[in-house]
Amino acid sequence: MKISELARLARSNAETIRYYEREGLLSKASRSESNYRIYTAAHLERLIFIKHCRNLDMTLGEIRTLLRFKASPEENCGEVNRLLDEHIEHVVRRIGELQELERQLRDLRECCPDGRQAAACGILEGLSQPSLEKTPGNHVPGVHASFANNINKS
Amino acid sequence: MKISELARLARSNAETIRYYEREGLLSKASRSESNYRIYTAAHLERLIFIKHCRNLDMTLGEIRTLLRFKASPEENCGEVNRLLDEHIEHVVRRIGELQELERQLRDLRECCPDGRQAAACGILEGLSQPSLEKTPGNHVPGVHASFANNINKS
DNA sequence: GCTTGACCCTGTAGCGACTCAAAGGTTTTA
DNA sequence: TAAAACCTTTGAGTCGCTACAGGGTCAAGC
Ligand SMILES: [Zn+2]
Ligand SMILES: [Zn+2]
Ligand SMILES: [Zn+2]
Ligand SMILES: [Zn+2]
């Protein structure tokens, strides 16, 4: 099959598939006479696997590790289980950060229940106070970014 | 003061400050004879405001809006309050997505409580099943990315 | 006076995981 | 036969920084 059919079957899209090939997640497809990529059922299976992992918010690095284990079925899967445990920890930690964030935001929101002049807005005022800085290791964009981003000193 | 002192006082760093200037969040500093940026207390105040907003995981776009209101104190702050409500919604939605993710990950983890051969690993097997696709609008990297990213068709 | 080191500047590239568009080649359909 | 619908490569854009590289400036110590 050609790339757009593979994309349709995996509910992915062609550009993502080419990207995965560049990144080495998907092995290079064979080519037709006119240089079109030709895929097999094995490619589809692998792409679906990747998609499931991405649905679970794993990084491509984590997925690469899982794929290595899929490729060597005789090895012990302890590392797979450990990877999943760690990833669960990534998600749990991020949930905690966001819950703390929600608390802070709701506190702030209560500073201005009604519409006033901006000069008297409790929210703008609250954001100007130096007291808000207590947040520990937050403002993390993604589930993983808490580790990548927090190499800042702050 | 020069840029690194501003950075120290705001617990930020010089490169970020220059980036904010490029992005128009911080007004251009005046320059010394030797072309160094020279900052005032007003810059510090504004930078601290920005930092608080970032600590609350707002985007630079959201922050830009808030800064506009700070700059025009006679306007009604209803839009500020609305922006905050929407941002709280961003966070709440992301928490929900991540909780669903955590459930799915824990389900998957239970498929392989012990270390086996990778060929028999319940996790690798679970990820290969086509059943996992139920997740609705997920695999979203950040609090906001759920809106930016989900313009994909999937 | 001279060197060292700590600053400062601009400009560019990189991160992750794509997404989009340009500019062209091929295949299918009307 | 011509238009539409594919396919190809390449390069740039997203977000919020961070990290160079390759320079200029400045204060202190010798
Ligand atoms: Zn993870
Ligand atoms: Zn208000
Ligand atoms: Zn928001
Ligand atoms: Zn296992």
Side-chain angles (χ1 to χ4, degrees), chain B residues 57-59 62 86-87 90 144:
Chain B
D57 242 349
M58 294 181 198
T59 63
E62 288 169 333
E86 278 167 24
H87 183 61
H90 299 166
H144 300 95

Side-chain angles (χ1 to χ4, degrees), chain B residues 9-147:
Chain B
L9 292 175
R11 294 184 194 172
S12 183
N13 82 57
E15 274 143 2
T16 304
I17 292 168
R18 284 189 283 253
Y19 171 71
Y20 286 163
E21 182 184 307
R22 277 201 302 285
E23 292 297 303
L25 288 162
L26 231 45
S27 60
K28 303 218 171 194
S30 58
R31 296 296 182 117
S32 75
E33 262 187 28
S34 52
N35 199 32
Y36 290 7
R37 290 173 180 82
I38 302 297
Y39 294 97
T40 65
H43 285 103
L44 175 58
E45 205 180 310
R46 197 174 165 102
L47 180 55
I48 287 173
F49 182 91
I50 294 170
K51 223 214 157 196
H52 289 162
C53 293
R54 290 291 302 132
N55 282 349
L56 296 171
D57 242 349
M58 294 181 198
T59 63
L60 299 190
E62 288 169 333
I63 297 169
R64 243 183 289 266
T65 302
L66 293 183
L67 287 170
R68 266 202 305 277
F69 277 90
K70 279 203 88 172
S72 51
E74 76 289 349
E75 272 191 76
N76 185 285
C77 75
E79 198 182 322
V80 170
N81 304 6
R82 195 158 50 249
L83 188 151
L84 203 68
D85 284 337
E86 278 167 24
H87 183 61
I88 290 171
E89 184 52 36
H90 299 166
V91 173
V92 166
R93 187 186 302 204
R94 182 64 174 150
I95 290 172
E97 289 172 358
L98 290 182
Q99 281 169 341
E100 167 65 16
L101 215 59
E102 186 189 348
R103 245 187 317 271
Q104 291 186 16
L105 285 166
R106 292 203 187 279
D107 280 358
L108 185 61
R109 182 63 181 84
E110 277 179 28
C111 297
C112 188
D114 48 342
R116 312 175 189 172
Q117 280 200 321
C121 175
I123 291 171
L124 292 178
E125 196 191 349
L127 286 168
S128 303
Q129 299 301 315
S131 58
L132 248 174
E133 353 196 3
K134 50 192 166 184
T135 52
N138 69 349
H139 67 89
V140 231
V143 207
H144 300 95
S146 46
F147 316 111

Side-chain angles (χ1 to χ4, degrees), chain A residues 66-131:
Chain A
L66 293 183
L67 287 169
R68 267 204 304 278
F69 277 89
K70 277 205 90 174
S72 51
E74 76 289 348
E75 273 191 77
N76 185 285
C77 75
E79 200 182 322
V80 170
N81 304 6
R82 195 159 49 250
L83 188 150
L84 203 67
D85 285 337
E86 279 167 24
H87 182 61
I88 290 171
E89 184 50 37
H90 299 166
V91 174
V92 167
R93 188 187 302 204
R94 181 64 175 150
I95 290 172
E97 289 172 358
L98 290 182
Q99 282 169 340
E100 168 64 17
L101 216 59
E102 187 191 347
R103 245 188 317 271
Q104 290 186 17
L105 285 166
R106 292 202 188 280
D107 280 358
L108 185 62
R109 182 62 181 86
E110 277 178 29
C111 297
C112 189
D114 47 343
R116 313 175 189 173
Q117 280 201 321
C121 176
I123 291 172
L124 292 178
E125 195 191 351
L127 286 167
S128 303
Q129 298 300 317
S131 59

Side-chain angles (χ1 to χ4, degrees), chain A residues 53-54 56-64 87 90 144:
Chain A
C53 293
R54 289 292 300 133
L56 296 171
D57 242 348
M58 295 181 197
T59 62
L60 298 190
E62 288 169 333
I63 297 169
R64 243 183 290 266
H87 182 61
H90 299 166
H144 301 95

